[in-house]
Amino acid sequence: MIKYVKLIIKKPKLVLNSIYKQHLGVILCTSIKENKYTNIMQRDSISLIKSDNHREITHFYQKMGRNSINKTTVQNWINKGFECFLIYDNETVIGGTWIFKNEFELKQLSGRTLSKNKKIKFNEDAIYKCYTIIDSDYRGKGLNQFLIKELLNYYNNSNYNKLIAITGANNGGYIRSTMKCGGTLIGIVQIRNILGLIRRKEIFVDFKEKSWQ
């Protein structure tokens, strides 16, 4: 008991976060078929490559502090048909994202923006962009916009028509770069986790764009 009392005194925010968490997220949808781009990046050294190199993917995400994305997780996602795209500056990985499709599970509170359920089933014409991260040394250089445009080009001739993404409402840079690529805001969701009890408030600006169950 004394141990926990000391923890409350020394790290009250840590204790509070274990009791109460809140996330205000926005859901963005970009039409794949309506957007196609050329001459996206001015720097010849920057490229986007779909990768199934477990070691390289794991190393990048863990370097970025995403320890939950380990070798086993990466292997499992690739086996399910999910796709990882890495951004390179010459031979150095400086960014990455995952594309989930069909059915998958979102355990993080931010991921619950899409649904009250952890298991999500996407429509056949939609894909989900997630776990997007850019190395801090390269942020502010338009790389997320570059990433989105390259993904739209990659999937332009596929059966997919909608690229769905979620982010925090305070992530203005991500929201702006998505909208510059033709993305639109389709929903806003507030999630509160009180001792494991999830409470949701959601507003869909365009409910017909909801492409999951």
Side-chain angles (χ1 to χ4, degrees):
M1 180 63 71
I2 296 176
K3 175 183 177 181
Y4 292 108
V5 171
K6 289 182 178 179
L7 182 61
I8 292 172
I9 295 172
K10 291 182 178 180
K11 299 181 178 180
K13 288 185 178 180
L14 183 63
V15 176
L16 181 61
N17 287 338
S18 67
I19 299 173
Y20 176 82
K21 294 179 182 179
Q22 179 174 278
H23 176 76
L24 182 63
V26 298
I27 308 174
L28 302 158
C29 177
T30 307
S31 174
I32 295 174
K33 302 300 183 185
E34 293 179 4
N35 295 280
K36 190 170 179 62
Y37 300 90
T38 57
N39 300 323
I40 296 171
M41 202 72 191
Q42 298 300 318
R43 291 172 56 184
D44 293 336
S45 62
I46 302 296
S47 60
L48 181 73
I49 298 175
K50 189 178 82 168
S51 175
D52 59 1
N53 186 324
H54 307 84
R55 180 178 297 178
E56 191 169 43
I57 296 169
T58 302
H59 179 265
F60 170 72
Y61 275 95
Q62 296 205 342
K63 179 183 175 183
M64 295 296 105
R66 302 294 181 89
N67 294 326
S68 62
I69 303 180
N70 53 42
K71 185 177 180 180
T72 302
T73 300
V74 170
Q75 179 70 64
N76 183 42
W77 287 350
I78 291 177
N79 289 344
K80 288 182 177 180
F82 304 159
E83 296 170 308
C84 180
F85 292 82
L86 298 178
I87 303 175
Y88 291 82
D89 184 358
N90 289 318
E91 296 182 357
T92 302
V93 181
I94 60 172
T97 197
W98 281 87
I99 296 294
F100 285 7
K101 57 189 78 171
N102 302 322
E103 190 170 332
F104 49 89
E105 186 171 325
L106 297 175
K107 298 180 181 179
Q108 295 178 327
L109 186 66
S110 59
R112 301 291 291 277
T113 300
L114 284 177
S115 170
K116 64 181 180 180
N117 303 314
K118 290 185 178 180
K119 287 188 177 180
I120 312 289
K121 185 174 182 179
F122 258 51
N123 296 350
E124 292 182 355
D125 68 336
I127 51 179
Y128 177 56
K129 175 176 175 282
C130 56
Y131 296 104
T132 302
I133 188 167
I134 305 295
D135 190 309
S136 59
D137 292 338
Y138 290 84
R139 291 174 190 168
K141 301 180 184 295
L143 287 176
N144 187 55
Q145 190 174 340
F146 160 76
L147 171 59
I148 296 170
K149 290 179 178 179
E150 285 286 331
L151 290 174
L152 294 175
N153 282 346
Y154 182 87
Y155 289 106
N156 193 266
N157 295 320
S158 71
N159 294 325
Y160 300 113
N161 189 44
K162 297 177 183 177
L163 177 66
I164 305 295
I166 59 175
T167 190
N170 62 344
N171 193 349
Y174 188 98
I175 296 170
R176 285 192 299 273
S177 62
T178 301
M179 290 185 169
K180 286 180 180 178
C181 298
T184 57
L185 173 67
I186 63 171
I188 302 173
V189 182
Q190 181 190 59
I191 308 158
R192 293 179 179 177
N193 185 337
I194 307 171
L195 292 174
L197 179 64
I198 304 293
R199 296 184 180 275
R200 296 168 51 86
K201 290 183 180 180
E202 60 181 36
I203 299 174
F204 276 92
V205 181
D206 194 348
F207 196 80
K208 73 177 186 298
E209 296 293 353
K210 184 177 179 182
S211 306
W212 61 92
Q213 302 173 14

